[in-house]
Amino acid sequence: MSDVARLAGVSTMTVSNVLNDRPRVGDETRSRVLTAVDELGYEVNLTARRLRAGRVDTVALIVPSFDHAYFAELAAGFATEFARHGRHLVVTQSGASREGELSALSQARLGLYDGVILSAVGLAYEEVDALRSAQPLLLLGEQPVPPRFDHVCIANSEGARLAVRHLLDRGARRVAVAGGVAVGRGDGAPEPDSMAGLRTQGWYSAHEETGVVPDERLLLGGARYAAADARRAVAGALADGLVFDAVFAITDEIAHGILAALHDAGLRVPQDVAVVGFDDLRMSEFATPALSSVNVSRDWIVRHAVSVIERRISGDDGEPVRLTAPVGLVVRGSSA
């Protein structure tokens, strides 16, 4: 800027006024400055400008894995929404581990982001409570979150209840839950607050509502979380003689593996076994048959999370926001 000022015969403040299109600069002076800019090939250092202003117009999103289509679709939504606010999105994967999440948060602090969104999986409640961040930090996910943090989650139990109630109402009496865990039975069962635990609780709730006694042998825990695992788990269950007339998969990705396993076994969907997933991924509409699924309102999550982060970046230090995204069942051919 000093070089431009010397060539144009003006002060650096005048150059700044011209580059920022401020008023009170004469046409002849403005023209002289712009000519000098062209001659010297001067470009504004946006990074320096943003650091001086205390912002970098970039937000970090930390997700468990890039491999899962749910997080890919979620990241795409965040990138689009933040772009509307003039910000870039940087996405990092944590590997769904405590160490990965702490490392990603540490790197986010070094990256001088304006805000951070973390999909927390591996960190315990006490570890989350111990987090200190100079930037606004919003948490996504199912685990209980200390009240001082902004938090957006999904109505997991309710979504699962809707899915399993739908299967029971259409006449199924042996509904397997792929990816499920034995929770809420006072036996020291694991992960009651995890995504799998909450969605399994919805499986229990739907049975209680309808008076159908659930058979815990139908908890196909080996199906978590990849389609290939689900395919093997269902194939093994069928080979062992386990009988079921419907399957609720705790994710759509698991459901796709189930559809493949049922096809391998010569079972028709939905005539022999009905299937419902959870997440309503875009690909699920194009499965054969099209997959029924619980819609988790990703657009709602993105819109509200971005709104909260933008308010925090702007200096709003009001009460922490705790939001639960609505869910709804989309019925397609796999359970129609």
Side-chain angles (χ1 to χ4, degrees), residues 9-10 27 39 42 47 55 64 84 106 142 160 168 181 193 208 239-240 242 252 260 269 272 280 314:
V10 298
D27 291 342
E39 287 184 19
Y42 173 76
T47 299
R55 62 184 179 82
R84 294 194 181 103
S106 176
E142 289 71 35
L168 293 170
V181 293
D193 296 315
E208 289 168 1
D240 290 341
L242 188 65
D252 276 12
V269 178
D272 299 322
D280 195 24
S314 298

Side-chain angles (χ1 to χ4, degrees), residues 25 107 128 132 165 188 215 269 282 302:
V25 178
Q107 291 300 314
V128 174
R132 297 294 181 269
R165 181 63 191 261
D215 182 350
V269 178
R282 294 189 182 98
V302 166

Side-chain angles (χ1 to χ4, degrees), residues 195-251:
M195 178 267 282
L198 291 168
R199 293 181 186 180
T200 304
Q201 187 57 57
W203 178 80
Y204 283 118
S205 297
H207 281 83
E208 289 168 1
E209 285 180 6
T210 55
V212 177
V213 178
D215 182 350
E216 293 198 358
R217 291 176 298 173
L218 297 174
L219 293 170
L220 306 180
R224 298 189 289 166
Y225 282 109
D229 294 336
R231 189 176 195 172
R232 285 191 293 268
V234 171
L238 291 170
D240 290 341
L242 188 65
V243 176
F244 46 86
D245 51 11
V247 183
F248 163 58
I250 66 168
T251 71

